[in-house]
Amino acid sequence: MRKCIIMVAFLLATSTTIYAGGYQVSLHGQRQLGMGLIGTSLALDASATFNNPGALAMMPEQLSIVGGINGVFGSTAYQMETPSVYQAKTDNPPGTPFHFYVAGMLTDRLAGGIAVNTPYGNSLKWEDGWAGRFLIQEISMRAITIQPTLSFRLTDMLSLGAGFVYAIGSVDLERALPVEGPGGEGQLNIDGNATNYGFNAGLQFAHPLGFSAGLSYRSKIMMEIENGDALFSNIPSSLASEFPAENRVDVSLPLPANLDFGISYQVTPDLLLGMALHYVFWSEYEELVFDFNENTSSLPDSYNKRDYSNTLIVRAGGEYRVTPAFYLRAGGYFDPTPVNSDYFSPETPSLDNLAFTGGASFMPSSNLSIDASLLYIIGMEEDMRYTPENFNGTYSSRIIIPGIGITYQF
Amino acid sequence: MAKNNIFPIILFIFIGLFTSCEADIDKHSPSAGDADLSTFVSLGNSLTAGFMDGELFREGQHNSVANIMAGQFMHTGLEDFNQPLMHDDIGFGNRLVLAQVEGQLLPVPIGGTPDPGNYENIYDAEGPFHNLGVPGAKTQHLLFEGYAALNPYYGRFAANIATSSILGDALVLNPSFFSLWIGSNDILGYALDGGEGDNILPPEEFRAAYQYLVQQLTQGGAKGVTANIVDITTIPFFTTVPYNALLLTDPDVVAALNMAYAEAPHIEFDIGPNPLVVVDTEHPAGFRQLETGELILLTALDGIQNENWGSQVPLTAEYYLSLEQINHIAEAVNEYNDIIHNTATETNMAFVDVNELLREAEPGIYFDAIGFSTDFVSGGIFSLDGIHLSSRGNAIVANEFIAAINTQYNASIPKVAIGNYPGIIFP
């Protein structure tokens, strides 16, 4: 408990790092977040730009600006395959994913918007010298997307929209090499950037009696890092030629496609309930390949099987208007792991996640809303194996994500 | 007003959740099962003692199979495991380290002067000792009263130099649990001389000594673990130099060699890898070229590289093993291993198939995300002498011992993380 409080104090002082199922992050708006991260069927505000471009033209106001930031405080624990008393934990730096949306009605029926957010990422740091250091010591990967979007209202009940997604990704990882000299073990640091394109499109149906449904699809984006840095350090001098110090590496990582479906119902003027199904096309992630530009007999290209499976995330939540200026939200979701339990690498220790969310909004004026959310994720304890290198054990994780944002609209 | 009370309630629920903010997994709870690990003694040879890199020295002893096991037994009732530690990391001075010699990575003597204390008997000052592994010990040596006078590694820590036996020193401690890993040197002595020196102890004599040892160790009710011995075809000392190590690229050299052996038409050289020429008194000519499957000792490498051994100078008999000798060794290993396995089964002891473990490791194997093989130096399992295990090799074997004990005695003794032990140090 004490550690959590101390970490909160450093919330905004650190760089962007992210964490969730696989390496996808779904922190796309404080209001959606409070309701179990449902959002596909909600035309709340400019955040629809990302959550469902089809819903943007159903936005109730002429202009909407949404901005927010979350703090991610996660830890993962490892217990070596029994019988063993070996345990290790991550000591992750807190992450700060953010989102910013601006959207407006260009005509009666046509809306335009732009979304800037961080839908993918993974950041963790295992304790120094831990038993899995030859697989991963530390990793920070993230993707920022910029998405200009147009949405058109066909009828009062139906609208559609689409956006162009420009993604900027980076990976920085560190692993130990089982090569030892008088000064200890060798290290490999891989660092690279990539950009690529994709799209986001959706449909929104809204019935005047308060029922809404949304369907959206975000395409896969392949992050192909070419000529990233592969820096070998602390290599014994007798082996220096085997590990060229300033090597280059090609790595590619798929940012998986998402097919989202959501429904919601305004039960009373004060109560909104909704749910969503998010299908994530993780099976694209078959293999993590490090293709070194310069190979030696000790440094072949590295093929690491991942063999992820598609997953279906089930989300549910609601919002209650306590007073016209004060809203409360609650929700939850179950996000099964995409990781194959035989190829579970501690670099992305994604478990079956059970999450609870809560949130509140306070509106000092009719134009302005201050939105807060809190997300608590239980990575359910499970025995996992990385069979290619015989690294097995039990993993468990806990993540707490407070968030704050503002919504301005008129 | 009632509505406004919801907020503090939700806040309260969340605070409850955050108290488990850190991920946590219940620690595995070890158990000794049906075994009593309170007094553990370890009997054996260099592998038990922690001999590696050609010598017994302090760091190697810390990472001996026996000491690694004992460290894990501490989780399940063992309180004290005393080793007869050398005073330094030099031992008697034969330790090897890797160095670059004329561009080649080779094991070379570490140098330095051994601490004089390494040569003194430390029983009165530090004994009694639980690790009774003695480098060089053969099976019958464990019973031999007065062996300390013949083997300085035992002389260092025998209770009485004139009258002690290794078995006697063990029994005095009233062990509740023992490990017995013996027999390698009864065969290796023959193999390390290219079959020219020691004879292999006949399996019947091995059986008698082995069964006596087990009977003596178990008669007080002690339980134990035994392990079999390793066939030489997975030991890098015998597998590193190939039978056709003579690589010829210059036609003039090929012609000159063929000319030199013109009188011996059964000797022939070509461009490419050529079988080495060896002395063989059973061959009519007195020498011949090696055949596929025959093994050259690692100690011949220097002569092959620098003294024209195996080409102009036939390799003498103590540097290679013929197919016949290899078969003789393999048969003995099989017979010994049958005896060890049968004895373990009959006496309900835990049994470790180290021979099979190394056979599986030979082409390459991962433990805890570290790749190993039985290759010399780069394989990581064997130490720089090519015969004895490295620290990580010892940890791998100790985990197998622990697994066998857990199976036999319904125990749950924790294994070690292999990466916590030092690897081969490169310059």
Side-chain angles (χ1 to χ4, degrees):
Chain A
M1 181 65 190
R2 175 170 294 169
K3 189 163 187 184
C4 293
I5 292 169
I6 292 165
M7 286 198 300
V8 171
F10 292 110
L11 169 60
L12 295 171
T14 55
S15 63
T16 302
T17 45
I18 311 160
Y19 199 111
Y23 45 84
Q24 174 158 288
V25 179
S26 302
L27 310 172
H28 308 312
Q30 304 306 332
R31 297 168 78 180
Q32 290 85 350
L33 232 157
M35 294 186 272
L37 284 74
I38 63 168
T40 314
S41 63
L42 303 179
L44 295 171
D45 49 41
S47 62
T49 316
F50 182 86
N51 288 295
N52 178 2
L56 192 62
M58 297 277 193
M59 189 171 65
E61 311 291 340
Q62 285 299 305
L63 178 70
S64 168
I65 300 167
V66 176
I69 190 162
N70 291 84
V72 180
F73 306 97
S75 75
T76 300
Y78 169 77
Q79 150 81 53
M80 192 170 265
E81 184 177 39
T82 54
S84 171
V85 289
Y86 179 84
Q87 293 200 333
K89 275 187 184 177
T90 59
D91 183 16
N92 298 337
T96 52
F98 64 89
H99 53 266
F100 175 77
Y101 312 106
V102 56
M105 296 303 297
L106 304 175
T107 72
D108 261 5
R109 289 170 177 274
L110 183 68
I114 188 159
V116 181
N117 61 0
T118 49
Y120 303 92
N122 174 28
S123 176
L124 80 169
K125 181 182 188 308
W126 286 95
E127 60 189 62
D128 283 345
W130 87 293
R133 64 192 180 278
F134 305 111
L135 291 169
I136 193 73
Q137 181 65 56
E138 193 172 347
I139 184 171
S140 170
M141 77 141 289
R142 64 174 158 141
I144 296 174
T145 61
I146 301 165
Q147 182 197 318
T149 304
L150 286 174
S151 177
F152 187 71
R153 196 167 67 214
L154 292 171
T155 72
D156 282 351
M157 289 200 287
L158 189 65
S159 64
L160 49 81
F164 166 84
V165 178
Y166 180 68
I168 305 159
S170 67
V171 170
D172 186 354
L173 70 84
E174 183 107 11
R175 70 205 293 189
L177 295 169
V179 170
E180 216 169 328
E185 287 166 345
Q187 298 284 327
L188 166 60
N189 176 262
I190 286 175
D191 192 352
N193 302 293
T195 59
N196 212 336
Y197 312 99
F199 69 92
N200 185 359
L203 277 174
Q204 172 80 350
F205 171 82
H207 192 274
L209 290 178
F211 173 77
S212 303
L215 182 69
S216 74
Y217 179 78
R218 271 188 292 135
S219 70
K220 175 186 86 166
I221 299 176
M222 204 67 190
M223 278 290 140
E224 290 169 334
I225 295 169
E226 285 175 20
N227 284 316
D229 289 327
L231 302 177
F232 291 92
S233 56
N234 207 25
I235 302 292
S237 61
S238 61
L239 298 175
S241 61
E242 291 291 305
F243 300 95
E246 300 200 353
N247 209 335
R248 298 268 162 183
V249 68
D250 296 346
V251 189
S252 62
L253 206 60
L255 306 180
N258 279 247
L259 180 65
D260 297 352
F261 173 73
I263 51 171
S264 53
Y265 184 58
Q266 193 74 46
V267 183
T268 72
D270 290 335
L271 180 67
L272 173 73
L273 293 176
M275 67 167 297
L277 299 173
H278 290 185
Y279 192 72
V280 190
F281 294 83
W282 275 116
S283 62
E284 284 292 335
Y285 191 26
E286 291 171 354
E287 197 173 41
L288 178 62
V289 180
F290 297 102
D291 180 356
F292 294 101
N293 290 15
E294 206 178 326
N295 293 115
T296 69
S297 60
S298 303
L299 186 67
D301 293 334
S302 160
Y303 296 87
N304 306 283
K305 193 169 178 183
R306 290 294 177 264
D307 209 13
Y308 275 31
S309 301
N310 294 342
T311 59
L312 182 69
I313 309 169
V314 181
R315 310 180 184 281
E319 177 183 73
Y320 187 71
R321 187 172 66 180
V322 183
T323 74
F326 185 57
Y327 290 74
L328 281 177
R329 304 184 187 93
Y333 65 87
F334 181 69
D335 181 2
T337 179
V339 186
N340 183 321
S341 57
D342 282 329
Y343 300 101
F344 188 98
S345 164
E347 119 232 314
T348 311
S350 177
L351 299 160
D352 287 344
N353 285 332
L354 180 64
F356 302 95
T357 74
S361 285
F362 172 65
M363 300 177 71
S365 77
S366 60
N367 291 344
L368 182 67
S369 170
I370 296 164
D371 313 309
S373 70
L374 207 42
L375 170 57
Y376 182 69
I377 304 173
I378 299 166
M380 296 160 77
E381 185 174 315
E382 197 169 344
D383 295 343
M384 294 292 189
R385 296 168 298 283
Y386 188 63
T387 50
E389 299 194 6
N390 208 355
F391 188 79
N392 311 325
T394 307
Y395 294 83
S396 168
S397 69
R398 293 288 181 277
I399 309 158
I400 173 170
I401 307 175
I404 187 98
I406 57 165
T407 307
Y408 182 74
Q409 44 196 358
F410 57 88
Chain B
M1 201 59 211
K3 283 178 182 173
N4 285 333
N5 287 336
I6 297 169
F7 187 67
I9 290 168
I10 289 176
L11 195 67
F12 183 76
I13 291 168
F14 271 96
I15 286 169
L17 288 171
F18 303 154
T19 52
S20 50
C21 182
E22 280 270 322
D24 202 18
I25 301 172
D26 288 342
K27 248 199 172 116
H28 168 71
S29 51
S31 124
D34 309 330
D36 171 4
L37 301 174
S38 57
T39 307
F40 170 50
V41 295
S42 203
L43 292 90
N45 50 37
S46 46
L47 295 164
T48 298
F51 187 102
M52 60 180 72
D53 299 339
E55 185 55 279
L56 189 71
F57 56 94
R58 206 174 171 91
E59 189 196 342
Q61 290 175 291
H62 282 305
N63 297 323
S64 65
V65 172
N67 198 48
I68 293 171
M69 265 196 285
Q72 299 308 97
F73 292 176
M74 304 266 174
H75 293 282
T76 52
L78 180 64
E79 281 176 9
D80 182 30
F81 188 77
N82 196 18
Q83 296 204 101
L85 292 174
M86 290 280 187
H87 291 223
D88 58 22
D89 284 329
I90 299 175
F92 289 165
N94 301 309
R95 184 180 168 192
L96 302 169
V97 289
L98 272 184
Q100 272 191 304
V101 184
E102 291 164 14
Q104 214 183 351
L105 206 50
L106 286 174
V108 299
I110 190 171
T113 309
D115 187 314
N118 292 346
Y119 299 95
E120 289 164 14
N121 185 288
I122 53 174
Y123 185 88
D124 288 336
E126 298 175 31
F129 298 104
H130 301 95
N131 186 347
L132 296 159
V134 174
K138 296 181 176 181
T139 310
Q140 293 170 334
H141 290 155
L142 269 52
L143 312 166
F144 182 5
E145 292 168 357
Y147 181 54
L150 301 181
N151 185 331
Y153 286 111
Y154 183 44
R156 289 180 57 242
F157 72 90
N160 182 310
I161 292 177
T163 61
S164 286
S165 73
I166 295 168
L167 177 65
D169 283 359
L171 293 175
V172 159
L173 295 169
N174 286 320
S176 63
F177 199 86
F178 66 91
S179 71
L180 176 65
W181 189 15
I182 196 72
S184 298
N185 289 327
D186 298 274
I187 294 173
L188 264 181
Y190 173 81
L192 290 173
D193 287 332
E196 302 301 303
D198 278 4
N199 285 322
I200 294 175
L201 179 72
E204 284 317 306
E205 291 179 40
F206 171 73
R207 184 199 308 272
Y210 196 82
Q211 291 184 340
Y212 180 75
L213 282 168
V214 170
Q215 183 263 323
Q216 288 290 304
L217 286 164
T218 52
Q219 68 176 2
K223 290 170 173 153
V225 58
T226 61
N228 66 7
I229 63 174
V230 177
D231 187 36
I232 60 165
T233 53
T234 50
I235 299 178
F237 186 82
F238 300 100
T239 60
T240 301
V241 183
Y243 81 101
N244 57 356
L246 180 63
L247 185 64
L248 299 176
T249 52
D250 182 347
D252 293 342
V253 174
V254 172
L257 279 171
N258 280 327
M259 183 74 83
Y261 285 96
E263 303 288 310
H266 65 293
I267 307 281
E268 211 180 326
F269 298 94
D270 284 310
I271 294 283
N274 287 269
L276 297 176
V277 179
V278 296
V279 171
D280 183 352
T281 51
E282 288 176 18
H283 193 278
F287 56 88
R288 63 176 177 90
Q289 281 176 299
L290 286 177
E291 294 171 37
T292 312
E294 293 187 314
L295 301 174
I296 299 161
L297 275 54
L298 189 59
T299 37
L301 185 60
D302 186 47
I304 292 168
Q305 286 183 330
N306 301 316
E307 310 286 340
N308 296 316
W309 289 7
S311 53
Q312 290 171 33
V313 182
L315 198 63
T316 49
E318 68 269 29
Y319 286 112
Y320 77 97
L321 291 167
S322 68
L323 288 177
E324 193 185 324
Q325 291 169 324
I326 293 165
N327 282 337
H328 182 47
I329 292 166
E331 278 171 25
V333 169
N334 284 339
E335 289 185 61
Y336 277 40
N337 282 350
D338 283 346
I339 292 164
I340 294 168
H341 189 212
N342 290 339
T343 307
T345 309
E346 285 158 15
T347 52
N348 294 316
M349 280 193 299
F351 168 74
V352 188
D353 195 344
V354 180
N355 193 30
E356 178 62 21
L357 173 71
L358 289 179
R359 213 186 295 279
E360 284 172 17
E362 188 181 357
I365 192 168
Y366 277 92
F367 293 101
D368 298 348
I370 308 170
F372 292 95
S373 76
T374 59
D375 288 349
F376 187 47
V377 181
S378 64
I381 290 183
F382 283 91
S383 71
L384 301 178
D385 57 37
I387 302 171
H388 300 94
L389 301 174
S390 66
S391 292
R392 282 187 180 161
N394 281 339
I396 291 165
V397 168
N399 272 352
E400 289 295 311
F401 272 73
I402 289 167
I405 296 165
N406 286 343
T407 304
Q408 182 67 34
Y409 298 114
N410 302 313
S412 187
I413 301 159
K415 293 187 179 183
V416 297
I418 305 299
N420 284 353
Y421 294 84
I424 305 285
I425 306 293
F426 287 80

